[in-house]
Amino acid sequence: MKDSPRRLLYTAITRAFGASDCGKLEGVLWAADLFSAQADKPVDEQTRESKKFNLMATLTWLDLTSRDRDKMRGVLDLFSEQGTVDEMGLGSLRDALSDALFPGTSSIQTRLRYALFVPWLYQRLEARPVDDVRTAAHEAETGLIEPLATSDDTFGVIGISARKTLSRLPSSVYWASLNRWGIFVPGQSQSWYHTHFAGLARRKSEVLRADDPGVVWTREPTWHPRLPTAPADFPGCASFRLTKEEATFLQGRFEERCTGTLLAWLARAGSSTPAAQFWDDPGTCSAPSAVRRIVELARRFSLHVEGAPLLYNLLLAERRNGGGDDARVDAYRSELARWAAEESAEAAYESPPLWAFLAERGASLSDPQRRFVEAWSDRISSSGASAVPDDPFLRNLIEQRELKLKGRRARLANANRLLDWSGSVGVGRMGFRWFRVRQLLTDLHGGLKS
């Protein structure tokens, strides 16, 4: 496993499936190697520009169970999230902070009411005979697209373009949330639910609602016993507006299942107009000290390492077209100057608090990650952030980091790969899913006010 795409795929799937199943990966990894080799063959820029160069990578898994398929989709989500396959290999650190701040969320979620749509659709299926629950669920979920697409708020409608051909259903996007927030009580995978659907549907009538007097619980319910009832006209009519009852239920889920996190705190103390950055939100400023500690770790880390991808893109711009891309060189030098001014206004960055946080949570921290961050920090501390663009040590650090991560596919070491550079890759501060969480909180507090 020399090159990082192969190693990255192997590592991600090992975490999802366990090492014992990774023998199944050899065909996938062999194909990835073949694709890498083909992509590294000399191809002139004129051919690329005329779009005659067209390589497509496909991922196929033989003997794939439904449980495996759920896990694999989770792995592939990581690669579809913007910035996850990051240029400097810091994504796992960002994700550990994201999970601590906003558990149960992901950057492919859109609107909060989907966390109710999915249970409501499945409850409807549980109430009638179903031969093939997967097919029935697909029909039910794609059938929800049209009512949402014709509502007065279409932002975030999943499948609004694909319609009936939608392959990634809302249920698969939100299933981890339903588990984490305690809405799907068994806490199992979606494939497990489908496998046990008939038995769970049969016993549904035996489980009374939690607020019925004199109930003695003998069986675990499938869905949270206080899950609000679906509107009478659902799913024929649907919108993203939460009722007060629905919003109060979800607020309670966050507070009970995500205690001690910023998500739970802002569910109670936030507003329907969250700030552009969560560290600037008024609700965050009044959060308990333990929550603010994590917020500060995320804020400071995201600023400190923002300069690394900016320097990487500067190096690419300098090497583009042989003599450099002067316009982009100037742009990245300007961005680095802006970043340096912000970084210099802060106290010197110290990484041990972040390492301690990762250890507390049992999150992984590789030695190369630690050495890279510490080398970056030490050099900035000694030479100053303003020296970053022309610092030989940091330039070499960035180049060697990419080479370590990508091997022969490193843009700074492979002229053919450099031709694929779009002019900007991996830039911007880490957002920790706030763009999506901000919308979820807007929906929540809009419902609480209704």
Side-chain angles (χ1 to χ4, degrees):
M1 292 178 215
K2 295 179 181 179
D3 57 278
S4 73
R6 191 176 198 267
R7 182 171 60 250
L8 194 63
L9 180 62
Y10 188 90
T11 299
I13 299 179
T14 298
R15 290 176 181 171
F17 290 87
S20 62
D21 282 341
C22 284
K24 300 178 182 178
L25 290 174
E26 288 310 308
V28 174
L29 298 178
W30 171 81
D33 285 343
L34 180 62
F35 172 70
S36 296
Q38 291 293 322
D40 287 337
K41 290 181 178 179
V43 179
D44 61 53
E45 188 165 11
Q46 182 179 2
T47 302
R48 291 176 187 271
E49 292 299 325
S50 65
K51 298 184 180 180
K52 293 178 182 177
F53 178 81
N54 182 24
L55 285 175
M56 180 177 294
T58 60
L59 186 63
T60 302
W61 193 300
L62 300 180
D63 191 26
L64 189 67
T65 67
S66 58
R67 185 168 179 266
D68 288 339
R69 188 162 52 247
D70 284 347
K71 290 181 178 180
M72 192 63 196
R73 281 173 173 167
V75 171
L76 295 179
D77 280 346
L78 296 177
F79 291 87
S80 68
E81 294 177 12
Q82 184 176 3
T84 297
V85 186
D86 62 308
E87 298 302 318
M88 295 294 103
L90 302 177
S92 64
L93 308 184
R94 177 208 57 218
D95 293 343
L97 287 161
S98 301
D99 290 339
L101 291 163
F102 309 116
T105 64
S106 82
S107 62
I108 58 173
Q109 294 171 349
T110 58
R111 304 297 293 267
L112 187 54
R113 211 179 187 204
Y114 272 116
L116 300 178
F117 290 157
V118 173
W120 288 342
L121 290 174
Y122 273 113
Q123 284 182 327
R124 287 173 58 85
L125 296 181
E126 291 171 357
R128 63 180 177 84
V130 173
D131 293 328
D132 183 345
V133 63
R134 291 174 180 82
T135 300
H138 186 279
E139 292 175 355
E141 293 188 60
T142 55
L144 187 61
I145 297 172
E146 182 61 26
L148 290 172
T150 55
S151 68
D152 58 0
D153 180 4
T154 61
F155 176 75
V157 177
I158 297 175
I160 194 168
S161 297
R163 300 295 172 119
K164 293 295 184 180
T165 63
L166 178 66
S167 59
R168 193 60 201 266
L169 299 171
S171 58
S172 62
V173 173
Y174 283 80
W175 200 265
S177 302
L178 299 179
N179 279 331
R180 184 63 177 83
W181 301 338
I183 297 174
F184 180 63
V185 177
Q188 300 287 342
S189 69
Q190 188 176 14
S191 61
W192 178 93
Y193 174 56
H194 288 168
T195 299
H196 296 82
F197 179 82
L200 293 169
R202 278 196 304 270
R203 81 180 193 189
K204 179 182 178 182
S205 61
E206 302 173 20
V207 180
L208 302 179
R209 295 189 65 82
D211 53 1
D212 288 347
V215 169
V216 177
W217 288 88
T218 59
R219 293 179 183 243
E220 183 180 69
T222 303
W223 304 102
H224 193 281
R226 288 193 174 87
L227 178 71
T229 303
D233 55 0
F234 178 84
C237 294
S239 76
F240 290 124
R241 287 191 303 275
L242 290 165
T243 66
K244 187 167 188 177
E245 178 192 10
E246 294 163 4
T248 301
F249 167 76
L250 291 167
Q251 182 187 54
R253 296 293 79 226
F254 296 148
E255 292 185 318
E256 180 181 327
R257 296 299 296 266
C258 306
T259 304
T261 69
L262 185 59
L263 178 63
W265 179 259
L266 293 180
R268 175 65 59 180
S271 71
S272 58
T273 55
Q277 300 288 353
F278 61 85
W279 46 75
D280 294 328
D281 194 88
T284 301
C285 299
S286 62
S289 59
V291 174
R292 284 187 281 108
R293 167 181 168 255
I294 302 175
V295 169
E296 179 58 18
L297 284 175
R299 185 199 70 82
R300 188 67 187 91
F301 180 65
S302 68
L303 173 60
H304 183 61
V305 300
E306 183 189 1
L310 289 173
L311 179 56
Y312 171 65
N313 279 269
L314 173 62
L315 296 178
L316 294 175
E318 290 175 345
R319 300 186 189 189
R320 185 68 179 269
N321 301 327
D325 184 332
D326 292 341
R328 287 196 171 103
V329 167
D330 291 344
Y332 281 113
R333 284 188 173 275
S334 177
E335 276 298 291
L336 279 163
R338 185 270 310 161
W339 165 79
E342 295 181 24
E343 176 67 18
S344 300
E346 303 271 349
Y349 183 76
E350 297 181 356
S351 55
L354 178 58
W355 306 157
F357 161 80
L358 294 171
E360 289 171 8
R361 294 186 60 85
S364 63
L365 170 66
S366 69
D367 286 339
Q369 279 179 323
R370 179 181 54 77
R371 289 195 297 269
F372 173 76
V373 172
E374 290 178 352
W376 174 264
S377 302
D378 291 346
R379 189 66 173 184
I380 291 175
S381 180
S382 62
S383 301
S386 61
V388 166
D390 299 301
D391 189 296
F393 175 85
L394 291 178
R395 284 171 162 255
N396 182 65
L397 179 69
I398 294 296
E399 186 165 355
Q400 292 304 310
R401 179 62 173 165
E402 189 198 24
L403 189 63
K404 181 75 172 178
L405 289 169
K406 303 177 185 176
R408 64 174 181 251
R409 294 184 61 75
R411 293 185 181 93
L412 291 172
N414 184 328
N416 289 314
R417 289 284 291 129
L418 181 58
L419 293 175
D420 291 332
W421 179 56
S422 64
S424 177
V425 59
V427 296
R429 288 185 72 169
M430 295 176 176
F432 306 100
R433 306 176 194 152
W434 178 244
F435 170 73
R436 295 301 188 187
V437 174
R438 190 172 183 267
Q439 182 61 57
L440 301 184
L441 289 170
T442 297
D443 290 345
L444 177 72
H445 287 284
L448 291 172
K449 287 181 178 180
S450 63

